[in-house]
C-alpha cells in the first residue's frame, strides 16, 4: 500500500522533518479484534449472503475489517423496519425521548476509550482530534436532551380573528430521515447529527462511509443501550453512488454531509421527490490575522485551525490572510510551531497530528503542493509525505507565494496544507476571504473584539470564530452551524438543527362565528365589517 500511495506523491524524507510522536497505546489489531468487528457487523442491515467489503487501517496499512454490504433491496428493508418502529417512538412524550440522549451522554463519556480506539483505527487521526468528536457529540446530546422540549413544544399564535380563532403551531416528525455521512468525523457526523432527528420523533436510516462504519455501528449499540428502540436506527453500507441514491429514494427528509459535488446530486434527487434536504458541504476557509492580533495566540490558533485531523475537517483553514505589517513575524512563529508538531499513530494521546485517511487524500494533498511548487510557490514548512511513519502520513505544510492559477489557491485540498497571503487593508482582506463560492467557516484574530465582530459581519460564511479557529462556533451547539453558497443548505445545531427534522403543522380552532358572512349579514356588510376590523387591528398594533 505504501508503494501505491506515498511514493506517488513525494520522495523519502531527508533532513529534519516533523518529529515522530512517542508510540504507545494498543495496536490496531488489539483494539479492533475480529470478535468486535463481527459483533458490530450484526448492526448492518444486509440480508441473505451479503458481499463483503474490506477496510484498511490508515495508520499502518493493515487489514482492519470485513463488513457486509447492503444492496438497494436492503435499503428498502431498512426503511420498512425504521418506519414500523417510528410510530410508537413518535407517540412518546418528548421528555422520554430526550432522556435517551442524556443517558447516551453519560455512557459516551464513560466508554470514550472504546470509540477513541475505533475512530483512530478507521481514520488515522490523532487521539486528541478523535476526542474532539466525543466532545462534540456529548455537547449535542446534552443540548438536545435538555432543550428539545422547548424547541418542539406547541406555540400559540394570534388567530385569524382575535379571541375567536385559536391557532397553534405544532411540530410533527418527518418520519424516516435518510442520513448520509462521510468518513472524516465518523462519530460526530453519524450519531451527533442523528440525535436531534431521534429526539424530534423520527427514525433514521444512516449510510456512513464504509471506511468508518465501525464507529457508527458502535454508536448505534451505545444509543440502544441508552434506550433507543433498536429498529429506529438502521445502518446500511455500500458503494456511495449506489446505496446513497437508494437512501434518498425512500427518505422523508435527507440529511447529507459530504462533498459539494455529491451534495448537488443528492439535492437534485431530493428535489425531484419534493422532500427536504440539509446539505453540509465543503469549504475553502480563511483565517484573517489583523495587524493588532496577539501573534502567539494566532500562531497557536492557526495550528489548530489548519492541522486538526490532518486538515481533513470541513471547517479547517486552508487560506491564511495576514496583515502585511505582521506577516513575517506571524509566519516565523506559525512555521516554528508547525515544524515542531509530533506526527504519529499510536492509539494513545501524545501525537499532535495523525495520518491521512486514504490514498485519494494523500494524492490530492501531494498534487496540490507539488503543482504549486512547480509554478513558483515556496514551501515554508512540511511539503512531503512521511512513509517512514506510515503509508498515508503527510507533513503539516505551509505554502507562501501561492497565485490564483494554482489549484491549491481555490480548490478544497482537505489535507494538512495552508497557503499564506498578505493584505494591506481590512477591505482587501474581507474581499479576499469572500472570493470563493464556498462559505462555511472563517476565523478572525484581533485584540479589538468589537472590531473582530464587525469584520465577522462582513464575512460570507455560516460560522465565524473570533480569536479561535473553529471550536468556539462549532461547540456553541445552541447556535446554528452550516454553510452559505457552495458550502450547503440548512444548518445543524440550535433550533434549525432540530426543526429541520420536523414538519410545521398549524392547528386552528374556530369558535362562535365562522369566517364568512353570518348572523344575517350579506356579503357586502360582511366585507365592510371585516374592512373596519382590519383597520382597528392595525391601529391597535395587533400582529
Ligand atoms: P463524498 O461526497 O464523497 O461522500 C460523502 C458520503 O456520501 C459518503 O457516505 C459517500 O459514500 C456518499 N456518497 C457518495 N456518492 C453518493 C451519491 N451519488 N449519492 C449519495 N451519497 C453518496 O465526501 P467525502 O470525500 O467522503 O467527504 C469529504 C467532504 O465532506 C469534504 O468536501 C468536506 O468538506 C465535506 N464535509 C463537510 C462537512 C460540513 O459540515 N459542512 C463536514 C464534514 C465533511
Amino acid at each position: 500500500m505504501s508503494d501505491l500511495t506515498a511514493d506517488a506523491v513525494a520522495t523519502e524524507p531527508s533532513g529534519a522533518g516533523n518529529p515522530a510522536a512517542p508510540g504507545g497505546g494498543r495496536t490496531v489489531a488489539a483494539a479492533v479484534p475480529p470478535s468486535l468487528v463481527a459483533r458490530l457487523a450484526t448492526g448492518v442491515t444486509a440480508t441473505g449472503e451479503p458481499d463483503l467489503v474490506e477496510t484498511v487501517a490508515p495508520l499502518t496499512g493493515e487489514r482492519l475489517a470485513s463488513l457486509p454490504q447492503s444492496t438497494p433491496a436492503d435499503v428498502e428493508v431498512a426503511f420498512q423496519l425504521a418506519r414500523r418502529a417510528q410510530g410508537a417512538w413518535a407517540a412518546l412524550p418528548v421528555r422520554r425521548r430526550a432522556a435517551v440522549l442524556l443517558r447516551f451522554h453519560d455512557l459516551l463519556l464513560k466508554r470514550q476509550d472504546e470509540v477513541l480506539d475505533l475512530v483512530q483505527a478507521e481514520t488515522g487521526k490523532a487521539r486528541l482530534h478523535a476526542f474532539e468528536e466525543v466532545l462534540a457529540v456529548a455537547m449535542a446530546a446534552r443540548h438536545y436532551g435538555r432543550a428539545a422540549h422547548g424547541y418542539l413544544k406547541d406555540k400559540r399564535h394570534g388567530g385569524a380573528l382575535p379571541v375567536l380563532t385559536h391557532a397553534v403551531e405544532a411540530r410533527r416528525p418527518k418520519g424516516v430521515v435518510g442520513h448520509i455521512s462521510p468518513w472524516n468525523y465518523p462519530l460526530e457526523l453519524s450519531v451527533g447529527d442523528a440525535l436531534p432527528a431521534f429526539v424530534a420523533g423520527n427514525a433514521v436510516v444512516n449510510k456512513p462511509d464504509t471506511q468508518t462504519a465501525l464507529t457508527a455501528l458502535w454508536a448505534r449499540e451505545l444509543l440502544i443501550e441508552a434506550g433507543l428502540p433498536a429498529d429506529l436506527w438502521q445502518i446500511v453500507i455500500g458503494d456511495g453512488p449506489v446505496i446513497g441514491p437508494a437512501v434518498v429514494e425512500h427518505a422523508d427528509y435527507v440529511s447529507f454531509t459530504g462533498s459539494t459535488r455529491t451534495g448537488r446530486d443528492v439535492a437534485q434527487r431530493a428535489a425531484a421527490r419534493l422532500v427536504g434536504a440539509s446539505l453540509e458541504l465543503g469549504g475553502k476557509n480563511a483565517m484573517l490575522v489583523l495587524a493588532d492580533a496577539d501573534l502567539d495566540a494566532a500562531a497557536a490558533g492557526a495550528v489548530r485551525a489548519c492541522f486538526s485531523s490532518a486538515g481533513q475537517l470541513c471547517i479547517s483553514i486552508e487560506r491564511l490572510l495576514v496583515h502585511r505589517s505582521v506577516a513575517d513575524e506571524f509566519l516565523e512563529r506559525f512555521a516554528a510551531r508547525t515544524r515542531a508538531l509530533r506526527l504519529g499513530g499510536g492509539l494513545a494521546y501524545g501525537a499532535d497530528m495523525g495520518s491521512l485517511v486514504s490514498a485519494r487524500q494523500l494524492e490530492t494533498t501531494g498534487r496540490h503542493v507539488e503543482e504549486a511548487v512547480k509554478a513558483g510557490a515556496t514551501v515554508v514548512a512540511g511539503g512531503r509525505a512521511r512513509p517512514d511513519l506510515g503509508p498515508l502520513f503527510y507533513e503539516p505544510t505551509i505554502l507562501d507565494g501561492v497565485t490564483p492559477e494554482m489549484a491549491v489557491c481555490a480548490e478544497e485540498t482537505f489535507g494538512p496544507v495552508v497557503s499564506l497571503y498578505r493584505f494591506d487593508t481590512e477591505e482587501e482582506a474581507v474581499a479576499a476571504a469572500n472570493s470563493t463560492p464556498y462559505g462555511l467557516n472563517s476565523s478572525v484574530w484581533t485584540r479589538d473584539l468589537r472590531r473582530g465582530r464587525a469584520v465577522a459581519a462582513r464575512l460570507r460564511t455560516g460560522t465565524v470564530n473570533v480569536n479561535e479557529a473553529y471550536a468556539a462556533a462549532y461547540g456553541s451547539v445552541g447556535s446554528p452551524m452550516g454553510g452559505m453558497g457552495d458550502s450547503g443548505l440548512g444548518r445543524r445545531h440550535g433550533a434549525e438543527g432540530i426543526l429541520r427534522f420536523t414538519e410545521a403543522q398549524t392547528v386552528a380552532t374556530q369558535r362562535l362565528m365562522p369566517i364568512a358572512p353570518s348572523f344575517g349579514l350579506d356579503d357586502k356588510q360582511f366585507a365592510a365589517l371585516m374592512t373596519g376590523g382590519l383597520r382597528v387591528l392595525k391601529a391597535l398594533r395587533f400582529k
Side-chain angles (χ1 to χ4, degrees), residues 288 426 430 434 442 444 449-461 463-466 484:
L288 284 64
E426 194 176 293
V430 168
N434 288 339
S442 48
V444 181
L449 300 188
R450 268 178 55 170
R451 185 175 174 209
R453 285 192 282 264
V455 171
R458 302 175 65 196
L459 295 175
R460 214 181 124 276
T461 54
T463 50
V464 186
N465 291 268
V466 177
M484 300 184 189

Side-chain angles (χ1 to χ4, degrees), residues 180-184 189 207-209 238-241 244-245 248 256-260 262 265-266 280-283 314 360-361 412 414 440 481 487 492:
I180 301 174
S181 43
W183 46 263
N184 66 326
L189 301 176
K207 194 212 87 62
D209 194 287
D239 194 19
V248 178
F256 173 83
T257 302
S259 63
T260 298
T262 312
D265 184 62
V266 168
E280 305 287 350
L281 309 177
C314 57
R360 191 183 75 169
Q361 293 308 118
E412 185 185 42
F414 219 52
L440 193 55
M481 182 273 151
S487 292
R492 62 164 61 86

